[in-house]
Amino acid sequence: MSVLAVITPTWDTQEWVAKLQKALPDIDVRGWPELGNLAEITYAACWKPPAGLLATLPNLKLMVSLGAGVDDMLRDSTLPKHVPLLRVVDADLTARMSEYVLLHVLIHAREQRRLDTNQLLSKWDSFAAHTAKDFSVGVMGLGILGQDSASKLSMMGFKVRGWSRSAKHITGVECFSGESGMNAFLGGTDILVCLLPATKDTEGMINRDLLSRLSRRGPFGAPVLINAGRGRVQNEADILACLDDGTLYAATLDVFRQEPLPATSAFWLHPKVTVTPHAAADSDPAAICAYVASQIRLFNTGQPVSNVVDVTAGY
Ligand code: NDP
Ligand code: OXD
């Protein structure tokens, strides 16, 4: 019999064990730290597993990340290189991310925070609002999440451009790629949406140099940043300095280098910043378990699995 280890130290492991056991009745599902004989474990489903743990499972055949991002798992230098690692791709999660992106792009475009402040002051100020077609939104990262967000932004009437490592063709989206396409991409972007994974290549990429290359021809005369990818992609001191000196007009940040964001962080009370607690696209356990079970069933019967992580690229 195959054994699946569920390793989720920061989540309610028993909830995930129960759901996965129901979906995989022929597999013995065990929750960390009660894993029993480690040599019996063939599959592991993980979110933030303790570093070094997966290397102690000698007969592991498949690892599944319970999230879309795998940066935490790949930071474990002992992660077994010969064992394939899958990541989550799920329609529910993708839809949630696009909702977040559209919501926050619209909050900026329609100056909702200005309206919120006015309401607190009982101030009736019906200023002329901008509309979608006035803004060029640039999406960094045109993967599963970036492509869906970009297409939906385009449907809403925004001018949309995107940037990725390899070239793409997406209806309604002007696509740029690689280092050579970056300047042109940034130069025409009024609202930058980051949906990049954290890798060695994207580490600290959103820094002063990048932010100062964004368009200043948009309705606000300075660009807006929305980051729902990973905190490690951003240089937080640069973002704060750019907000303070006007290089950036405003920012919405869902992800941070340190999470939870410390109470002392200047982001919390910054008048130009909207903070959300890594909540852009919550995972629905039922949907994720159905996905994990389907991949394990395929693997168990010798069929090809999907969404295998390129460990060298880091995503
Ligand atoms: P994908 O792997 O499908 O897409 C990643 C995209 O980033 C691809 O388009 C890829 O380019 C591009 N990319 C990667 N490295 C580079 C680089 N060096 N230069 C340019 N482009 C690069 O991931 P998803 O879309 O599924 O998810 C993206 C990220 O979103 C996750 O890694 C995770 O960190 C984050 N996330 C955040 C959540 C939240 O709640 N805040 C929820 C879920 C995910 P190419 O297409 O050429 O390969
Ligand atoms: C993920 C996340 O990677 O929730 O799935 O951040």
Side-chain angles (χ1 to χ4, degrees):
M1 180 185 260
S2 302
V3 177
L4 166 63
V6 178
I7 307 168
T8 56
T10 59
W11 290 350
D12 177 353
T13 304
Q14 285 319 312
E15 181 196 346
W16 288 81
V17 169
K19 285 196 165 64
L20 283 164
Q21 187 64 84
K22 199 166 168 203
L24 293 165
D26 299 335
I27 288 180
D28 176 6
V29 182
R30 301 177 189 168
W32 182 85
E34 313 294 331
L35 296 183
N37 180 355
L38 299 187
E40 290 171 358
I41 292 169
T42 39
Y43 305 125
C46 312
W47 182 248
K48 302 192 176 179
L53 178 61
L54 290 156
T56 66
L57 309 178
N59 294 312
L60 195 60
K61 291 190 207 144
L62 184 72
M63 304 179 283
V64 188
S65 159
L66 292 173
V70 288
D71 45 304
D72 263 311
M73 288 188 70
L74 294 184
R75 257 194 299 281
D76 177 357
S77 60
T78 69
L79 198 73
K81 301 273 181 302
H82 61 285
V83 179
L85 168 63
L86 312 186
R87 70 184 196 94
V88 162
V89 171
D90 171 60
D92 175 78
L93 187 144
T94 303
R96 286 171 193 249
M97 180 58 86
S98 296
E99 283 175 17
Y100 180 91
V101 169
L102 259 75
L103 170 69
H104 287 277
V105 166
L106 283 167
I107 282 174
H108 289 290
R110 297 296 298 261
E111 299 185 71
Q112 183 58 41
R113 289 198 42 161
R114 181 171 164 187
L115 292 165
D116 292 342
T117 305
N118 286 347
Q119 181 172 354
L120 288 173
L121 300 170
S122 307
K123 182 174 165 189
W124 186 275
D125 174 19
S126 75
F127 54 83
H130 301 289
T131 184
K133 66 175 170 32
D134 300 334
F135 295 88
S136 171
V137 183
V139 180
M140 284 185 105
L142 289 174
I144 300 292
L145 303 181
Q147 290 200 25
D148 194 64
S149 290
S151 299
K152 288 175 177 167
L153 285 163
S154 167
M155 276 185 243
M156 284 251 14
F158 289 97
K159 289 171 271 184
V160 185
R161 45 182 47 217
W163 182 77
S164 52
R165 210 155 64 107
S166 56
K168 300 269 182 297
H169 299 280
I170 306 167
T171 307
V173 181
E174 192 180 359
C175 294
F176 301 82
S177 59
E179 198 49 51
S180 60
M182 199 182 203
N183 247 342
F185 165 74
L186 295 172
T189 293
D190 305 320
I191 300 179
L192 181 69
V193 175
C194 174
L195 291 173
L196 285 170
T199 69
K200 59 181 177 357
D201 295 331
T202 63
E203 164 71 38
M205 187 181 262
I206 301 176
N207 57 16
R208 173 174 286 281
D209 172 55
L210 181 146
L211 296 171
S212 57
R213 288 191 271 160
L214 289 165
S215 161
R216 304 185 70 78
R217 298 182 305 278
F220 304 135
V224 170
L225 167 68
I226 298 173
N227 186 11
R230 279 290 185 269
R232 297 178 81 88
V233 181
Q234 66 200 14
N235 179 322
E236 297 185 344
D238 279 9
I239 292 173
L240 283 166
C242 286
L243 286 163
D244 290 340
D245 71 11
T247 303
L248 263 182
Y249 182 75
T252 292
L253 303 174
D254 183 57
V255 287
F256 300 90
R257 298 190 78 90
Q258 188 183 340
E259 295 179 4
L261 183 65
T264 52
S265 168
F267 285 128
W268 283 115
L269 297 179
H270 199 291
K272 296 181 179 176
V273 179
T274 299
V275 169
T276 56
H278 198 139
D282 272 344
S283 304
D284 168 19
I288 306 294
C289 287
Y291 165 81
V292 172
S294 70
Q295 295 298 321
I296 289 179
R297 263 188 239 111
L298 288 172
F299 192 90
N300 225 7
T301 50
Q303 297 176 71
V305 287
S306 318
N307 308 312
V308 181
V309 171
D310 175 346
V311 173
T312 309
Y315 66 99

